[in-house]
Amino acid sequence: PSCGSKLVLVKDQLFCKNSKCEAQSVKKLEHFCKSLKMKGFGPVALEKLQLESIVDLYRFSEFTYKDKLGDTIGVKLFKEVRRSEKEATLASVIAGLSITLIGDTAANKLCTKINSIADINATVCKDVGLGEKATNNILEFLNSEEYLDLEPILSKFKNIPNTKPSISNGKTVCI
């Protein structure tokens, strides 16, 4: 691995378990940006920004973006970050956190029962049908140092209930 840490063998595959691995951090940031549909945050932009975590995405000022990427691109990416704060769904944020076994499907299931990431617990996970491993992974994440760092950012994202009108309008539909 690029970080020089020792690899761990898990079911005939080698994994780097270093949570501070720079290569993993960049991929996690790229995945988070893609999940929140933030345009322009590819490997080159992320390398130039020298972000250490998702927190830096939201902590950096417009000046920092412009300083590291130039005026035009810096302003565009800064606006993308601010737009994500307003428009990203809680499900996309949860899916973007790179928690093993927690993707779009699991995040959408969770968001049927929660209003914020702080509402996630073992009972909610069981109620929405998450398996034991997925539940353990998300609960482990919520008790991690990484979550403590992210919590002020993640608390901004609230679940917006689906306000689309029902197709049946109170009528019974048999399929």
Side-chain angles (χ1 to χ4, degrees):
S2 61
C3 64
S5 65
K6 205 169 196 172
L7 295 175
V8 178
L9 185 65
V10 179
K11 294 186 181 179
D12 297 330
Q13 292 182 328
L14 292 171
F15 290 93
C16 172
K17 296 290 186 174
N18 178 7
S19 62
K20 305 288 185 200
C21 178
E22 190 176 317
Q24 286 186 47
S25 297
V26 170
K27 286 297 182 187
K28 285 180 179 181
L29 282 164
E30 205 174 321
H31 175 68
F32 184 80
C33 293
K34 188 175 181 180
S35 294
L36 272 64
K37 297 182 172 98
M38 295 192 302
K39 297 175 186 166
F41 285 93
V44 174
L46 290 172
E47 183 181 330
K48 287 182 181 179
L49 285 168
Q50 298 172 328
L51 301 167
E52 292 182 20
S53 74
I54 294 168
V55 174
D56 290 340
L57 274 173
Y58 294 94
R59 191 180 293 158
F60 280 3
S61 66
E62 184 175 2
F63 173 78
T64 305
Y65 278 95
K66 287 169 39 176
D67 183 49
K68 293 182 181 242
L69 298 170
D71 288 350
T72 306
I73 295 172
V75 169
K76 283 182 183 179
L77 293 188
F78 181 76
K79 286 181 180 178
E80 283 293 311
V81 171
R82 295 301 167 240
R83 181 192 58 76
S84 77
E85 287 181 310
K86 296 175 186 146
E87 297 178 11
T89 64
L90 182 59
S92 66
V93 171
I94 293 170
L97 293 173
S98 300
I99 302 168
T100 306
L101 300 177
I102 306 296
D104 291 330
T105 303
N108 284 322
K109 285 180 178 181
L110 282 167
C111 286
T112 62
K113 297 278 186 187
I114 64 169
N115 291 317
S116 75
I117 198 164
D119 296 340
I120 298 173
N121 59 42
T123 305
V124 169
C125 291
K126 185 178 179 184
D127 289 348
V128 299
L130 292 188
E132 186 179 332
K133 288 181 182 177
T135 298
N136 288 341
N137 290 344
I138 197 160
L139 294 178
E140 209 173 277
F141 172 80
L142 293 173
N143 290 314
S144 71
E145 187 178 315
E146 182 181 4
Y147 175 71
L148 290 176
D149 293 340
L150 286 171
E151 203 275 327
I153 304 288
L154 297 177
S155 65
K156 294 178 184 180
F157 296 97
K158 302 292 181 199
N159 195 19
I160 301 165
N162 187 357
T163 56
K164 293 179 183 176
S166 171
I167 295 172
S168 66
N169 292 328
K171 299 177 184 174
T172 303
V173 178
C174 296
I175 298 175

